[in-house]
Amino acid sequence: VCLVGRSGCGKTTLLHALSGLTTPVEGRVLLHGRDVTARPGHVSYMLQKDLLLPSRRIIDNVCLPLEIAGMGREEAHERARPLFERFGLAGCEQSWPAELSGGMRQRAAFLRTYLMGNDVVLLDEPFSALDALTRDDMRSWYCDMARELGLATLAITHDVDEAVTMAGRIYVLGGDPSHGEPSRVVAQVKVGRPQATADAGEFALTPEFLAAKREVLACLG
């Protein structure tokens, strides 16, 4: 699922509420039927920047959630090492963040997010800092990994093409809380993706892609 909306409509604030970092003024956050309002730790949350610590090697960066949870360093390394190849990071375990490309750093950030151990992932414009070609590759890679690992994903983005490429459903947010207008869902757009389309680039050439993009843009006004 993707959330799209203009700057200031409350997208990031909504993710903060869903992750338990902010207490909503009203309403509840339910996860698998359980009330998790204002209780962090039930979802994995990846922010816009990779936030890799420059003083830690990549394996130590990705193991940070495990260490915070109380796991010993060696045990955390043993848990993480088998996943490096799966996440396209084989051979990077002892690298420093500055030695990796933007796409590789983002993969490391996703691995760190995955090791938080939750089946629901919140993404706050995770591809916005990448160049266009790397961004396209990372979108496709993430969608493949999410399907393989069984992750439910809620992402926010300003990029309508990105939303239509990644999501099965798109919610368009309106309003401007900074000017006294409450944030609200103004439309839901379902993306009808043909089963025959193998990748994002192929899907972007289909009538279904163009129809969904046109509908989202119309809702954004």
Side-chain angles (χ1 to χ4, degrees):
V1 174
C2 274
L3 301 176
V4 299
R6 301 188 183 282
S7 295
C9 72
K11 299 185 299 297
T12 297
T13 301
L14 179 57
L15 288 197
H16 284 176
L18 295 176
S19 66
L21 299 178
T22 296
T23 302
V25 175
E26 58 185 58
R28 296 182 299 155
V29 178
L30 301 179
L31 178 64
H32 303 309
R34 293 180 293 118
D35 190 332
V36 295
T37 307
R39 294 168 57 195
H42 295 278
V43 298
S44 298
Y45 189 5
M46 181 172 168
L47 305 175
Q48 285 183 334
K49 297 181 180 180
D50 58 62
L51 300 178
L52 298 178
L53 300 176
S55 60
R56 293 173 68 104
R57 296 183 187 273
I58 295 301
I59 192 166
D60 292 316
N61 262 289
V62 303
C63 287
L64 194 57
L66 301 177
E67 293 182 33
I68 291 174
M71 186 177 293
R73 184 181 180 193
E74 289 303 317
E75 184 181 355
H77 283 195
E78 289 301 313
R79 174 83 64 87
R81 280 195 189 98
L83 295 169
F84 269 74
E85 183 173 358
R86 194 175 191 180
F87 278 73
L89 291 165
C92 297
E93 292 87 344
Q94 297 302 317
S95 299
W96 299 101
E99 296 174 332
L100 300 188
S101 66
M104 296 295 277
R105 289 171 62 102
Q106 208 72 348
R107 287 173 184 254
F110 279 126
L111 176 51
R112 180 186 58 199
T113 302
Y114 175 68
L115 286 172
M116 293 179 186
N118 302 302
D119 61 358
V120 176
V121 179
L122 307 182
L123 304 179
D124 188 350
E125 299 194 67
F127 311 113
S128 60
L130 303 175
D131 65 82
L133 293 177
T134 304
R135 190 161 58 241
D136 287 344
D137 289 342
M138 288 301 297
R139 289 172 188 162
S140 297
W141 173 81
Y142 178 77
C143 289
D144 290 341
M145 289 297 295
R147 282 191 293 268
E148 179 184 339
L149 298 171
L151 302 177
T153 303
L154 177 63
I156 63 174
T157 180
H158 287 95
D159 188 331
V160 175
D161 283 11
E162 180 170 281
V164 177
T165 297
M166 293 183 66
R169 278 180 292 147
I170 300 170
Y171 291 97
V172 181
L173 295 187
D176 186 348
S178 65
H179 289 82
E181 301 175 13
S183 179
R184 65 193 186 282
V185 175
V186 297
Q188 176 187 216
V189 177
K190 292 185 178 181
V191 181
R193 184 167 184 148
Q195 292 185 353
T197 54
D199 57 40
E202 183 180 354
F203 175 51
L205 301 175
T206 65
E208 290 83 357
F209 175 91
L210 295 175
K213 179 178 179 180
R214 189 178 300 113
E215 187 175 353
V216 173
L217 289 173
C219 295
L220 288 170

